[in-house]
Amino acid sequence: MRPVPFSNPIKEKGKMSSPPLLSLLLFLTLTLNPLAAAARATPPRISDGVTDHLANHVPSFLRLNTIFSSSDTCDETYGFMPCTTTWLGNLFLILVYGYLMYTGATFLSNGSELLLAVMGPGIVGGLFLPVLGALPDSMLILVSGLSGSTDTAQSQVSIGMGLLAGSTVMLLTVLWGTCVIVGKCDIQNSTAIDNTDTKGFKLTESGVSTDIWTSYGARIMAVSVIPFIIVQLPQVLSSTSARRIAILVGLILSLVLLITYCLYQVFQPWIQKRKITYVKTKKIISEFIRKLKEHPIVNQLCHDGKIDEHAIEKVFHAIDTDKDNQLSASEFRSFVIGMRLDELKLDAEDVLGKVMKDFDTDPDGQISLDEFKVGISSWIDTLKGLRPKSFGVRSDTMKFIADLHEESQREHELLGYEDDAGEENGEENSKNPVLKAVLLLVLGTIIAAVFADPLVDAVDNFSDATSIPSFFISFIFLPLATNSSEAVSAIIFASRKMKRTTSLTFSELYGAATMNNLLCLAVFLALVYVRDLTWDFSAEVLIILLVCVVMGVLGSFRTSFPLWTAIIAFALYPFSLVLVYILDYICGWS
């Protein structure tokens, strides 16, 4: 899966032993076809009129294409991979190759997360891992139109479009809505309360909350559909001459946006840290001043907008326990701990560090009375400069400090800043985590590269055998092969019912959809342009735009998602399928 800032990835690490089912499927798939091929290659014999039938008879269990037999022939992928022309045989092959692609995607995902855990976000997490996360989908899209004649490529390329649309729609509808349901908590004051689920399935009082960074991810995802619009413009304007140019422009734009997005992923952790530091500093100052005002020996810290120096002196002498007219770090630490700022999710050492840095102007490690007065005055002036917009100019000083406290608390919650100590995944105990990650990535890449083409051929043959359009087959089934690992992990992560884990889950979903809209589309457009294929996917592009815009707008301007939002998400999936069918096969768009 694609990386998100700070902690990544949402997968639960597990043992990477090869499942027995994989061995069984490989055995059945790779042994049945050579036997059948050998039987088909038996030299013709001279008929004696009696034994002709027996001599040329091959047991049905050795030939896939004898199940609901067909007189058509099929081409073996790579010259040895199994193939069949019957619907039941192709269904079996789709399940086998789909499972192999799922295994490859799982290896890539686990390897990416392990490498990210070891090396951190930065270049690896921002550039390398997002590409690997979208590799299975990209492989399937690429091989859907890479081989064969132009007519064959034009026929099979709809499989690639089906996967592209189906993967994006599934992530933003079925999986998004499922995460809302399994992660639901009670909503109070437009915020979901962690690990509190007493409201049942009330549509407005139960749901999930995310941080502000997740909203940014939703906006980026919505913007990533621009290349689709560019490519579709000639169809909208009924222009045939500009279609190839539009494909080239869309390809270039998707690559530019992809590079920009990857660079954003590289620098995003630093951007977040700077923003969090700013909000954290504002919270420290406002909380310290507010707590200082509540100190038992302070009657009124400010009066008519001016600081009461007598009150500040009282506080200074109360902190100065050794009565040397200097405040040491240990004395200030005891005072800060007594303020019980930990209840407000503020670390005492962070507060102490900020105080010593701003108050000790010498710096000699001691804070004098004059330094203390200047420091308090400076902090209050800083708060005045951060005055909320709704606050009147002539209002009481402590009133706007209280208002600022509430505002900084909201910002702190939106940013989702929490201690990450409890989120360790234990990978540091691995002796060779980098080697293990590289092996998983290499193995996943090989599996995806080898079995992508046979899977596309099986889908195409199944479509021919059943007369079901290949788009719908790939739309529904192929995303299950390439995204099932992400789906299971996302649901498990969301079920922790915490704002932090929910934010990471939704960020992953938006990031995956963004990579589909940029990297996978770039591969698809390059394929269409190089092979000189016809762009005839108006209905398919429409559903991608519709789902991305609706879910992007919903995620961009909300950080709280009640259960009724899940209903919207779920409804978009069948609506997309019905819309494509109506537009392509009733209205004749295709």
Side-chain angles (χ1 to χ4, degrees):
M1 298 188 59
R2 290 86 175 169
V4 292
F6 288 80
S7 72
N8 224 40
I10 65 179
K11 304 274 196 234
E12 300 291 329
K13 301 292 187 297
K15 295 181 179 180
M16 296 307 300
S17 57
S18 178
L21 179 59
L22 177 59
S23 302
L24 177 61
L25 293 177
L26 279 171
F27 174 78
L28 290 175
T29 305
L30 297 178
T31 56
L32 285 180
N33 192 68
L35 290 173
R40 290 194 296 270
T42 302
R45 299 172 180 174
I46 300 175
S47 174
D48 60 2
V50 177
T51 61
D52 179 65
H53 172 71
L54 295 176
N56 291 283
H57 175 70
V58 179
S60 61
F61 65 84
L62 293 181
R63 297 186 62 182
L64 291 176
N65 64 356
T66 58
I67 305 174
F68 298 103
S69 62
S70 171
S71 59
D72 296 333
T73 59
C74 61
D75 296 325
E76 298 169 336
T77 309
Y78 308 136
F80 66 90
M81 296 298 287
C83 72
T84 175
T85 57
T86 65
W87 72 268
L88 188 57
N90 279 297
L91 179 60
F92 173 74
L93 291 179
I94 289 174
L95 293 176
V96 172
Y97 295 139
Y99 182 78
L100 291 170
M101 288 297 295
Y102 161 76
T103 303
T106 301
F107 287 164
L108 284 169
S109 179
N110 289 331
S112 298
E113 292 183 13
L114 183 55
L115 192 63
L116 184 66
V118 174
M119 305 187 70
I123 300 296
V124 173
L127 295 177
F128 184 57
L129 299 188
V131 174
L132 286 176
L135 184 61
D137 288 354
S138 300
M139 285 285 187
L140 286 170
I141 292 172
L142 181 63
V143 301
S144 68
L146 189 61
S147 60
S149 65
T150 302
D151 292 338
T152 301
Q154 187 67 56
S155 173
Q156 287 191 344
V157 78
S158 61
I159 297 175
M161 176 53 72
L163 172 62
L164 176 58
S167 180
T168 299
V169 172
M170 187 193 79
L171 288 169
L172 297 178
T173 58
V174 177
L175 188 52
W176 193 96
T178 302
C179 289
V180 171
I181 292 178
V182 300
K184 69 182 180 67
C185 297
D186 296 348
I187 294 181
Q188 296 179 7
N189 299 323
S190 300
T191 302
I193 309 301
D194 287 354
N195 296 312
T196 304
D197 187 12
T198 62
K199 300 294 181 65
F201 288 89
K202 294 185 178 180
L203 296 180
T204 58
E205 299 180 20
S206 182
V208 299
S209 291
T210 61
D211 55 34
I212 194 64
W213 304 107
T214 308
S215 297
Y216 296 160
R219 295 171 191 175
I220 293 173
M221 184 268 295
V223 172
S224 68
V225 301
I226 292 178
F228 284 102
I229 299 175
I230 298 297
V231 175
Q232 198 59 32
L233 281 178
Q235 265 77 1
V236 175
L237 301 175
S238 299
S239 173
T240 56
S241 59
R243 292 187 179 184
R244 187 165 173 81
I245 297 177
I247 291 173
L248 180 59
V249 173
L251 171 60
I252 296 173
L253 181 60
S254 61
L255 291 175
V256 170
L257 291 177
L258 174 63
I259 295 172
T260 303
Y261 177 68
C262 289
L263 291 176
Y264 172 76
Q265 289 286 72
V266 171
F267 294 104
Q268 188 183 30
W270 305 336
I271 297 173
Q272 284 192 356
K273 288 177 182 177
R274 286 197 297 269
K275 179 63 176 177
I276 288 175
T277 299
Y278 168 77
V279 172
K280 188 177 177 181
T281 299
K282 185 166 69 172
K283 184 175 175 65
I284 286 174
I285 295 175
S286 63
E287 291 291 354
F288 184 85
I289 297 297
R290 192 173 68 90
K291 286 286 187 177
L292 196 63
K293 177 181 177 294
E294 296 172 355
H295 197 280
I297 65 173
V298 177
N299 295 323
Q300 189 172 5
L301 188 61
C302 297
H303 180 69
D304 294 333
K306 297 182 179 180
I307 298 174
D308 187 344
E309 294 190 3
H310 181 64
I312 293 179
E313 291 177 3
K314 283 184 178 181
V315 174
F316 178 86
H317 293 300
I319 300 174
D320 184 21
T321 56
D322 60 5
K323 307 303 179 185
D324 63 349
N325 292 323
Q326 296 284 338
L327 300 183
S328 64
S330 59
E331 288 174 329
F332 226 111
R333 181 182 291 105
S334 300
F335 178 73
V336 170
I337 292 175
M339 299 174 80
R340 302 185 65 83
L341 294 176
D342 57 318
E343 297 177 354
L344 303 170
K345 298 181 180 180
L346 284 178
D347 184 71
E349 293 299 323
D350 290 340
V351 177
L352 177 63
K354 180 63 177 172
V355 170
M356 295 301 294
K357 179 180 178 181
D358 289 0
F359 286 27
D360 185 19
T361 55
D362 293 350
D364 58 355
Q366 302 280 337
I367 299 176
S368 66
L369 177 59
D370 290 338
E371 288 177 330
F372 189 72
K373 289 180 180 180
V374 172
I376 294 295
S377 301
S378 175
W379 274 17
I380 292 179
D381 290 340
T382 299
L383 293 181
K384 289 179 180 180
L386 299 173
R387 181 193 311 267
K389 294 181 180 179
S390 59
F391 184 78
V393 175
R394 297 183 179 180
S395 298
D396 181 70
T397 301
M398 298 314 299
K399 172 65 167 58
F400 83 72
I401 291 177
D403 292 344
L404 187 65
H405 155 68
E406 295 179 1
E407 181 183 281
S408 63
Q409 183 69 25
R410 286 194 299 269
E411 291 181 351
H412 202 261
E413 292 175 354
L414 282 175
L415 289 174
Y417 176 80
E418 294 181 19
D419 187 8
D420 296 340
E423 298 295 330
E424 299 297 331
N425 56 25
E427 292 295 344
E428 65 275 9
N429 296 325
S430 177
K431 294 182 180 179
N432 298 298
V434 175
L435 177 60
K436 181 179 178 181
V438 172
L439 289 176
L440 288 173
L441 292 174
V442 171
L443 183 58
T445 302
I446 292 174
I447 292 176
V450 170
F451 293 103
D453 200 9
L455 178 57
V456 170
D457 288 341
V459 170
D460 193 42
N461 292 334
F462 182 80
S463 174
D464 292 338
T466 59
S467 298
I468 299 175
S470 57
F471 170 83
F472 293 103
I473 301 172
S474 58
F475 184 96
I476 297 173
F477 293 109
L478 291 190
L480 298 178
T482 58
N483 294 304
S484 288
S485 178
E486 294 180 351
V488 172
S489 296
I491 293 172
I492 292 175
F493 216 64
S495 66
R496 293 184 180 180
K497 297 182 180 295
M498 297 175 61
K499 179 178 180 180
R500 173 177 173 76
T501 55
T502 301
S503 298
L504 290 174
T505 300
F506 279 67
S507 294
E508 288 288 312
L509 298 182
Y510 294 140
T514 300
M515 291 303 294
N516 283 342
N517 293 342
L518 296 179
L519 176 59
C520 294
L521 177 63
V523 172
F524 190 85
L525 292 178
L527 188 65
V528 172
Y529 186 82
V530 172
R531 295 299 306 271
D532 197 16
L533 304 178
T534 302
W535 178 269
D536 192 17
F537 305 103
S538 298
E540 293 82 351
V541 168
L542 179 60
I543 63 172
I544 294 175
L545 291 176
L546 179 66
V547 171
C548 287
V549 170
V550 170
M551 299 308 296
V553 170
L554 185 64
S556 297
F557 300 101
R558 297 184 65 95
T559 55
S560 178
F561 302 95
L563 286 181
W564 61 263
T565 59
I567 297 177
I568 295 177
F570 284 131
L572 284 173
Y573 188 84
F575 176 78
S576 299
L577 285 171
V578 172
L579 184 61
V580 170
Y581 179 79
I582 292 175
L583 294 178
D584 277 349
Y585 298 96
I586 296 180
C587 298
W589 278 29
S590 177

